[in-house]
Amino acid sequence: MMAKARNTAHAEEKAEVEVLSADAIKYGELAKKLRALQASLEGGGRTVRDAIGPVHSNTREHQIMIHNIDRLDAHIDKMLEPGQDKVKEERIIRVGPSKVGLNEYFASLKRVERALSQMTATNIRANQQAIGDFNELLSEGSNKLQDLFRTALMENVQKVEPLHYITKQQPFPVIQQETATHLSAMDRFVSPLSARNASSSQRESPSVRIYSECRSPYLVNTLQNLSIASISTSKRKNVDEPYRQGTNAIGTYSSAMEGLFLAELQNISGIFPREDWGIAIETTSRKALADFAKTLRELNMHIKSNLTTDCFLAYEIIEIVTNIAHRINSATSDVKLPFADALKPIRETAKQSLLDLLEDQRRRITSITTLPADGSALTYTAETLTRLQTMCAYPKSLSSILTFLGDGNWTHLTSGPGPSSPSTSIPSLKSLDVGADGTQLLTHYILDTVETHLTFLDARARILYKSKAVHGVFISNTLALIDRMIRSSDLASLLSQNPSAQSKLDTWRKKGLSTYMDAWREPSSALFDVQYTNRSGPRPQSGTSVSSAEVVKSLSSKDKDAIKEKFKLFNSSFDECVRRHKELSGGMEREVKSSLGREVGNMVEPLYGRFWDRYEALDKGKGKYVKYDKGQLAAVMASLG
């Protein structure tokens, strides 16, 4: 039974295997069909792909081209867009900034300028008309701004009274800050707009030109009266009177010019950019400086006609103008205003004056035909020292002139303009010594003037005075006057810097004293006697005194007569010298009288005392020969001082 069951199970399994085998065969055939179908489909796909590929590529290229065309069309529309606002901007610009307001006007100009730049960059033919129109709009806008710029400036050009500001030491008026701000804003638009159309040779900004056109007449008109005053105050009733410092209006004129120019610099720096400051102040001040130079030329003609009295005006002008030029040019570092050119004629005249003053001194002293009978100093000496005192008031100008001339070259005089004239000749090596100390040169010039004065006076005195006493008093009085005028002025401090100054004066002082003392040689020589030590026994021992009686007793009759003649000669010549001294004492300077009296006493008293001690017994007190005892002579000597 079990075997039967196993056979049944085996049969069932066999049947299942057969079914499965049949299914496997069926599925194998189906797979073959599917593979054949797949191969067929793949072949068809390849055929379709090969056919559709070129069409797809062409379509993509067309899409890219269409996109590019759209973008180009949009860009063209954008480029044409700036020209579409012309009507709006034209209305604003033609109305003008005074009606629409500066800010709106500036904004419109900016928009037009930006649109013009964009259209110019595209270089599209369709924009050429719009470019031309916009250029015209910018030009018109610039012109209207320039007109407004001029109008604003013209509200501040009324001339002022310079004396009001100078006397009260107030700064000259400037353009109000608000106005200056508006002008500056307009300049920032006008200059670039004008530069767009200006040629390369036009360097000056239109706003700078307008500024100078408006402000230049203001400067000229404000300074006009001071220019006239400078000329009129140079003319004095007494032409022989030396010029006194500060009496000419040139100082006020220069101060006003300085104040006005500095005010203009303040205006310019608040309106224009740094690079325009120089040209702005130069063009604005040009006419005022031309008038100033003309005034200086007229003053120069007056100075040359009165050189010995008005040379100080030339020195003053040099000092004043040099100072203001330095201050103004320091403020205008970008440009140097031509003050030096305006000052040149005055400088040349001032240089020539230093030579002419020395020559005039020589000429005047040489032409003197009479000198004071009492030996008093000449008025001309006081005038000469007054001139030298006045020179001390102009140390800077004189130092610069003397430095140019060179030490000692002021003595190289010429008779007039010519090849050797200092203004046309080649400078000497000394004149090129830029390291020379100007103060020392001034002391040298002053000492040379004094030396020349004394030398020529001494030469004239030798000719005109027959008496050495008067000659000596004259030189001593002259020296005393010179010394006193030096000590009482700035000459003292100036000459104290020169070690040789006092020694030169002392040399002349000794010369005057020596010349005067020559007149006292006659009474002094009478007091010299001869002693013969071998005639009267042994020589007295040192320290022992011999009485006058013993001396007289030892004399021979001949020797006594000789001594009597000496007393007589002394008495007569001494009395004559005393008389002459007292006659001259009225014209002596106080210090001269004292000095001469002291020197006479120092010379005569010792000699007479020795002579009187030896021979007074000869007269036996009768006074026939011995007129003065020592006390009486001392009293006379004391009266001389």
Side-chain angles (χ1 to χ4, degrees), residues 166-183:
I166 293 174
T167 54
K168 294 187 176 182
Q169 297 183 342
Q170 295 179 350
F172 279 79
V174 296
I175 297 174
Q176 294 182 357
Q177 182 62 43
E178 182 180 0
T179 303
T181 302
H182 290 161
L183 291 171

Side-chain angles (χ1 to χ4, degrees), residues 4-29:
K4 185 179 179 179
R6 283 194 299 269
N7 289 334
T8 301
H10 179 73
E12 290 176 359
E13 291 177 355
K14 183 178 178 180
E16 289 178 1
V17 168
E18 288 176 357
V19 171
L20 290 174
S21 297
D23 289 340
I25 293 170
K26 182 179 176 181
Y27 290 147
E29 290 176 357

Side-chain angles (χ1 to χ4, degrees), residues 459-511:
R460 293 305 294 166
R462 291 180 185 278
I463 297 172
L464 299 176
Y465 283 134
K466 305 306 178 184
S467 167
K468 284 193 173 183
V470 185
H471 182 184
V473 169
F474 175 70
I475 296 299
S476 297
N477 279 334
T478 301
L479 214 290
L481 177 61
I482 290 173
D483 189 65
R484 185 169 63 249
M485 294 187 72
I486 287 175
R487 294 181 185 278
S488 63
S489 67
D490 292 336
L491 286 171
S493 60
L494 185 64
L495 295 181
S496 66
Q497 302 178 39
N498 191 315
S500 65
Q502 191 57 46
S503 63
K504 289 183 178 181
L505 295 178
D506 289 340
T507 299
W508 279 101
R509 186 178 290 105
K510 292 175 182 177
K511 187 171 185 178

Side-chain angles (χ1 to χ4, degrees), residues 223-243:
L223 294 170
Q224 185 176 24
N225 289 338
L226 290 178
S227 172
I228 296 172
S230 298
I231 301 300
S232 61
T233 52
S234 66
K235 301 170 183 177
R236 303 185 302 280
K237 293 181 180 180
N238 185 3
V239 295
D240 295 327
E241 179 184 349
Y243 171 77

Side-chain angles (χ1 to χ4, degrees), residues 434-448:
V434 295
D437 186 340
T439 303
Q440 284 296 325
L441 292 180
L442 182 55
T443 64
H444 292 172
Y445 180 81
I446 291 172
L447 288 174
D448 282 352

Side-chain angles (χ1 to χ4, degrees), residues 302-542:
H302 169 79
I303 293 168
K304 292 175 72 172
S305 301
N306 305 273
L307 194 59
T308 57
T309 56
D310 283 12
C311 59
F312 309 109
L313 176 57
Y315 309 150
E316 181 176 88
I317 291 173
I318 292 173
E319 201 146 304
I320 289 172
V321 176
T322 300
N323 288 336
I324 71 162
H326 174 73
R327 290 192 292 268
I328 292 176
N329 286 333
S330 296
T332 60
S333 55
D334 297 329
V335 64
K336 300 299 180 186
L337 299 182
F339 284 102
D341 294 337
L343 195 57
K344 186 175 181 181
I346 297 286
R347 285 187 62 86
E348 292 299 319
T349 300
K351 283 190 291 185
Q352 187 62 38
S353 73
L354 294 175
L355 283 69
D356 288 354
L357 288 175
L358 286 172
E359 176 61 20
D360 179 71
Q361 181 176 236
R362 293 183 176 96
R363 184 173 58 252
R364 289 186 62 173
I365 295 177
T366 304
S367 65
I368 292 175
T369 56
T370 58
L371 291 172
D374 60 357
S376 57
L378 293 173
T379 304
Y380 180 60
T381 298
E383 293 175 2
T384 301
L385 266 294
T386 300
R387 184 172 71 241
L388 295 179
Q389 288 175 342
T390 307
M391 283 184 173
C392 293
Y394 312 103
K396 292 182 180 179
S397 55
L398 285 171
S399 293
S400 66
I401 294 170
L402 291 169
T403 300
F404 178 84
L405 287 175
D407 195 1
N409 286 343
W410 48 79
T411 59
H412 303 162
L413 301 176
T414 58
S415 58
S420 60
S421 175
S423 60
T424 57
S425 62
I426 298 174
S428 69
L429 290 177
K430 283 186 176 181
S431 69
L432 298 177
D433 182 13
V434 295
D437 186 340
T439 303
Q440 284 296 325
L441 292 180
L442 182 55
T443 64
H444 292 172
Y445 180 81
I446 291 172
L447 288 174
D448 282 352
T449 301
V450 172
E451 183 75 20
T452 301
H453 189 84
L454 289 169
T455 300
F456 276 77
L457 281 182
D458 182 57
R460 293 305 294 166
R462 291 180 185 278
I463 297 172
L464 299 176
Y465 283 134
K466 305 306 178 184
S467 167
K468 284 193 173 183
V470 185
H471 182 184
V473 169
F474 175 70
I475 296 299
S476 297
N477 279 334
T478 301
L479 214 290
L481 177 61
I482 290 173
D483 189 65
R484 185 169 63 249
M485 294 187 72
I486 287 175
R487 294 181 185 278
S488 63
S489 67
D490 292 336
L491 286 171
S493 60
L494 185 64
L495 295 181
S496 66
Q497 302 178 39
N498 191 315
S500 65
Q502 191 57 46
S503 63
K504 289 183 178 181
L505 295 178
D506 289 340
T507 299
W508 279 101
R509 186 178 290 105
K510 292 175 182 177
K511 187 171 185 178
L513 182 61
S514 175
T515 303
Y516 178 77
M517 294 305 293
D518 284 345
W520 287 84
R521 294 188 185 280
E522 185 177 355
S524 299
S525 62
L527 300 176
F528 292 106
D529 60 341
V530 180
Q531 297 183 33
Y532 298 96
T533 58
N534 59 349
R535 287 186 177 181
S536 53
R539 183 173 180 175
Q541 295 182 0
S542 177

